[in-house]
Amino acid sequence: AQSVTQLGSHVSVSEGALVLLRCNYSSSVPPYLFWYVQYPNQGLQLLLKYTSAATLVKGINGFEAEFKKSETSFHLTKPSAHMSDAAEYFCAVTNRREYGNKLVFGAGTILRVKS
Amino acid sequence: DTEVTQTPKHLVMGMTNKKSLKCEQHMGHRAMYWYKQKAKKPPELMFVYSYEKLSINESVPSRFSPECPNSSLLNLHLHALQPEDSALYLCASSGLLQSNTEAFFGQGTRLTVV
């Protein structure tokens, strides 16, 4: 069975500070990993994905994540937070299947950006 | 175009009503999904269709009935729902190759059962 643990249900940073959102996964086979962002009353937007190519993955809006197999981690970072980054972030894992990919999400981390 | 369109955006229904949620994508994806998201919780998978056939049903009650009329459309028929079924219902689509496993989500339908 696969699972994702997001450390910290709430993270608060100042505008311009480093953003670090933590994600650890558990998977018996090589995983596919994703980060999604959700703004209030909206759907999920894909930030970035890891699918066994480069371990450092760059996404949209200046976000990136590094896959570390030895630590079973896939933490999300952004060098400088903007007010518009305030949202909820979900880490998710799946194993690719020919009949469809079941995403298993972490509990989510709400990011607050202080001015 | 990476858009998944869901209608309606909001829906209020009584426990004896029958309603349907609709989802459309034009990315050529051959897998489509329904997820349910309760307040302050992550999305949870309900159904998966691949090549227009139901491939995964996560033990969802029969008052939820999915339908995939063609490769671009996905419906969720609702009947005799309970207040605890109130949630955000998200549709998603993805490819089935290693290169396009990522799921793209619609904006969701906010369902309230009264």
Side-chain angles (χ1 to χ4, degrees), chain A residues 36 38 49 99 101-102, chain B residues 33 37 55 58 96 102-103:
Chain A
Y36 286 89
Q38 186 175 34
K49 65 175 182 178
Y99 49 81
N101 309 316
K102 174 181 177 179
Chain B
Y33 310 78
Q37 186 178 24
S55 57
E58 291 285 288
L96 293 169
E102 64 272 28

Side-chain angles (χ1 to χ4, degrees), chain B residues 24-114:
Chain B
E24 187 170 8
Q25 59 91 13
H26 295 289
M27 292 177 277
H29 289 162
R30 301 311 299 272
M32 296 187 75
Y33 310 78
W34 281 114
Y35 284 82
K36 175 181 178 179
Q37 186 178 24
K38 299 283 282 183
K40 302 187 188 302
K41 296 290 188 182
E44 294 183 337
L45 182 67
M46 300 174 70
F47 302 103
V48 181
Y49 273 81
S50 63
Y51 299 100
E52 296 92 68
K53 289 183 169 46
L54 183 64
S55 57
I56 298 177
N57 177 342
E58 291 285 288
S59 302
V60 179
S62 61
R63 57 185 184 269
F64 294 91
S65 176
E67 178 195 20
C68 190
N70 60 54
S71 61
S72 299
L73 295 174
L74 185 66
N75 298 323
L76 185 63
H77 303 298
L78 314 173
H79 174 55
L81 295 192
Q82 303 297 310
E84 59 264 30
D85 296 320
S86 298
L88 181 67
Y89 288 83
L90 295 164
C91 174
S93 70
S94 79
L96 293 169
L97 304 175
Q98 182 175 353
S99 60
N100 62 356
T101 55
E102 64 272 28
F104 292 91
F105 286 80
Q107 293 298 294
T109 294
R110 175 73 62 186
L111 174 67
T112 303
V113 182
V114 297

